[in-house]
Amino acid sequence: MPDAPKGTVLAFDFGEARIGVAQGDAELGMTHPLATITGNSNDEKFEAIAKLVKEWQPKYFVVGLPTHTDGTEHELTRLSRKFGRRLHGRFNLPVYWVDERMSSLYAESLLAEAQVFGRKQKSVLDQVAAQAILQGFFEGGAAEYFNGREE
Protein backbone atom coordinates (compact mmCIF):
# COMPACT_ATOMS: atom_id res chain seq x y z
CA MET A 1 0.00 0.00 0.00
CA PRO A 2 1.47 3.36 -0.99
CA ASP A 3 1.80 6.15 1.54
CA ALA A 4 -1.36 8.22 1.73
CA PRO A 5 -1.05 11.64 0.14
CA LYS A 6 -1.11 14.80 2.22
CA GLY A 7 -4.06 17.15 2.10
CA THR A 8 -7.75 17.12 2.86
CA VAL A 9 -9.52 13.78 3.34
CA LEU A 10 -13.18 12.81 3.52
CA ALA A 11 -14.02 9.69 5.53
CA PHE A 12 -17.23 7.69 5.47
CA ASP A 13 -19.03 5.42 7.91
CA PHE A 14 -21.26 3.65 5.39
CA GLY A 15 -24.71 2.42 6.32
CA GLU A 16 -27.68 1.55 4.17
CA ALA A 17 -29.88 4.22 5.81
CA ARG A 18 -27.26 6.80 6.86
CA ILE A 19 -23.70 7.63 5.85
CA GLY A 20 -21.57 9.47 8.37
CA VAL A 21 -18.95 11.82 6.95
CA ALA A 22 -15.89 13.32 8.60
CA GLN A 23 -13.24 15.63 7.25
CA GLY A 24 -9.59 15.73 8.15
CA ASP A 25 -6.19 17.08 7.29
CA ALA A 26 -3.60 14.37 6.69
CA GLU A 27 -0.64 16.62 7.41
CA LEU A 28 -1.96 17.78 10.78
CA GLY A 29 -3.72 14.51 11.63
CA MET A 30 -6.76 16.53 12.70
CA THR A 31 -10.31 15.25 12.17
CA HIS A 32 -13.81 16.50 12.77
CA PRO A 33 -17.35 15.25 12.16
CA LEU A 34 -18.93 16.84 9.11
CA ALA A 35 -22.34 15.49 8.07
CA THR A 36 -24.80 12.64 8.13
CA ILE A 37 -26.12 11.84 4.68
CA THR A 38 -29.54 10.32 4.17
CA GLY A 39 -31.62 9.95 1.06
CA ASN A 40 -34.24 7.86 -0.63
CA SER A 41 -31.89 6.78 -3.41
CA ASN A 42 -28.19 6.33 -4.14
CA ASP A 43 -28.45 9.27 -6.53
CA GLU A 44 -29.63 11.56 -3.71
CA LYS A 45 -26.84 10.34 -1.43
CA PHE A 46 -24.15 10.79 -4.08
CA GLU A 47 -25.52 14.24 -4.91
CA ALA A 48 -24.95 15.22 -1.26
CA ILE A 49 -21.47 13.65 -1.34
CA ALA A 50 -20.67 15.55 -4.56
CA LYS A 51 -21.44 18.84 -2.77
CA LEU A 52 -19.03 17.90 0.04
CA VAL A 53 -16.36 16.89 -2.48
CA LYS A 54 -16.75 20.22 -4.29
CA GLU A 55 -16.56 22.16 -1.03
CA TRP A 56 -13.65 20.29 0.61
CA GLN A 57 -11.63 19.20 -2.47
CA PRO A 58 -10.29 16.00 -0.88
CA LYS A 59 -7.18 14.23 -2.17
CA TYR A 60 -8.62 10.81 -1.30
CA PHE A 61 -11.34 9.01 0.62
CA VAL A 62 -11.31 6.72 3.65
CA VAL A 63 -14.16 4.24 4.06
CA GLY A 64 -14.84 2.14 7.14
CA LEU A 65 -14.89 -1.58 6.43
CA PRO A 66 -17.25 -3.35 8.83
CA THR A 67 -16.59 -6.97 9.75
CA HIS A 68 -17.65 -9.40 12.45
CA THR A 69 -15.66 -9.12 15.69
CA ASP A 70 -13.46 -12.02 14.54
CA GLY A 71 -12.63 -10.15 11.30
CA THR A 72 -14.77 -12.22 8.94
CA GLU A 73 -16.73 -10.32 6.33
CA HIS A 74 -20.52 -10.04 6.00
CA GLU A 75 -23.10 -8.36 3.76
CA LEU A 76 -22.37 -4.82 4.99
CA THR A 77 -18.67 -5.42 4.25
CA ARG A 78 -19.59 -6.16 0.62
CA LEU A 79 -21.84 -3.09 0.45
CA SER A 80 -19.12 -0.86 1.94
CA ARG A 81 -16.63 -2.08 -0.68
CA LYS A 82 -19.20 -1.38 -3.40
CA PHE A 83 -19.73 2.11 -1.97
CA GLY A 84 -15.96 2.76 -1.99
CA ARG A 85 -15.67 1.59 -5.60
CA ARG A 86 -18.54 3.91 -6.53
CA LEU A 87 -16.79 6.82 -4.80
CA HIS A 88 -13.67 6.08 -6.84
CA GLY A 89 -15.68 5.72 -10.05
CA ARG A 90 -17.56 8.99 -9.61
CA PHE A 91 -14.77 11.19 -8.28
CA ASN A 92 -11.63 9.42 -9.57
CA LEU A 93 -9.90 9.62 -6.19
CA PRO A 94 -8.12 6.80 -4.33
CA VAL A 95 -9.99 5.00 -1.56
CA TYR A 96 -8.47 3.58 1.60
CA TRP A 97 -10.46 1.11 3.67
CA VAL A 98 -10.07 0.99 7.44
CA ASP A 99 -11.19 -1.70 9.88
CA GLU A 100 -14.12 -0.06 11.63
CA ARG A 101 -15.05 -2.74 14.15
CA MET A 102 -14.69 -0.43 17.15
CA SER A 103 -15.59 2.93 15.57
CA SER A 104 -19.24 3.02 16.67
CA LEU A 105 -18.39 2.01 20.23
CA TYR A 106 -15.66 4.65 20.29
CA ALA A 107 -18.08 7.24 18.90
CA GLU A 108 -20.71 6.37 21.52
CA SER A 109 -18.17 6.73 24.32
CA LEU A 110 -16.97 10.11 22.98
CA LEU A 111 -20.54 11.38 22.79
CA ALA A 112 -21.33 10.08 26.27
CA GLU A 113 -18.27 11.91 27.61
CA ALA A 114 -19.59 15.06 25.95
CA GLN A 115 -23.00 14.44 27.61
CA VAL A 116 -24.72 13.91 24.25
CA PHE A 117 -27.51 11.35 24.58
CA GLY A 118 -30.75 10.16 22.97
CA ARG A 119 -31.92 11.87 19.79
CA LYS A 120 -28.99 14.28 19.81
CA GLN A 121 -26.59 11.33 19.91
CA LYS A 122 -28.35 9.51 17.08
CA SER A 123 -28.16 12.57 14.82
CA VAL A 124 -24.36 12.79 15.09
CA LEU A 125 -23.31 9.20 15.87
CA ASP A 126 -22.53 8.27 12.25
CA GLN A 127 -20.39 11.33 11.60
CA VAL A 128 -18.48 10.83 14.86
CA ALA A 129 -17.96 7.18 13.84
CA ALA A 130 -16.56 8.47 10.52
CA GLN A 131 -14.28 10.74 12.53
CA ALA A 132 -13.08 7.72 14.55
CA ILE A 133 -12.44 5.81 11.30
CA LEU A 134 -10.39 8.71 9.94
CA GLN A 135 -8.46 9.11 13.19
CA GLY A 136 -7.65 5.39 13.07
CA PHE A 137 -6.44 5.81 9.51
CA PHE A 138 -4.16 8.72 10.48
CA GLU A 139 -2.76 6.59 13.28
CA GLY A 140 -1.69 3.95 10.79
CA GLY A 141 -4.76 1.77 10.51
CA ALA A 142 -5.35 1.50 6.77
CA ALA A 143 -6.57 -1.99 5.97
CA GLU A 144 -6.51 -1.77 2.18
CA TYR A 145 -6.03 0.65 -0.70
CA PHE A 146 -8.11 0.86 -3.88
CA ASN A 147 -7.34 2.97 -6.91
CA GLY A 148 -9.43 1.41 -9.64
CA ARG A 149 -7.64 -1.91 -9.89
CA GLU A 150 -9.41 -5.23 -9.59
CA GLU A 151 -9.40 -6.73 -6.12
Side-chain angles (χ1 to χ4, degrees), residues 9-98:
V9 185
L10 289 181
F12 299 89
D13 178 37
F14 174 80
E16 293 180 88
R18 295 181 313 274
I19 302 169
V21 186
Q23 182 273 336
D25 182 292
E27 216 161 345
L28 300 175
M30 306 257 323
T31 64
H32 68 271
L34 191 59
T36 300
I37 294 173
T38 59
N40 294 322
S41 68
N42 283 333
D43 287 341
E44 281 183 28
K45 292 173 187 173
F46 274 97
E47 199 174 297
I49 292 168
K51 289 177 184 174
L52 293 173
V53 168
K54 185 176 181 183
E55 179 181 352
W56 291 98
Q57 300 286 306
K59 301 291 185 209
Y60 57 97
F61 301 118
V62 173
V63 177
L65 197 59
T67 59
H68 291 292
T69 52
D70 66 0
T72 57
E73 297 191 359
H74 51 74
E75 181 61 13
L76 200 52
T77 313
R78 186 185 71 75
L79 293 173
S80 294
R81 287 185 192 280
K82 185 177 181 179
F83 172 74
R85 288 191 299 271
R86 283 183 174 170
L87 282 174
H88 173 75
R90 288 183 186 236
F91 303 107
N92 198 30
L93 293 172
V95 174
Y96 292 85
W97 277 284
V98 173

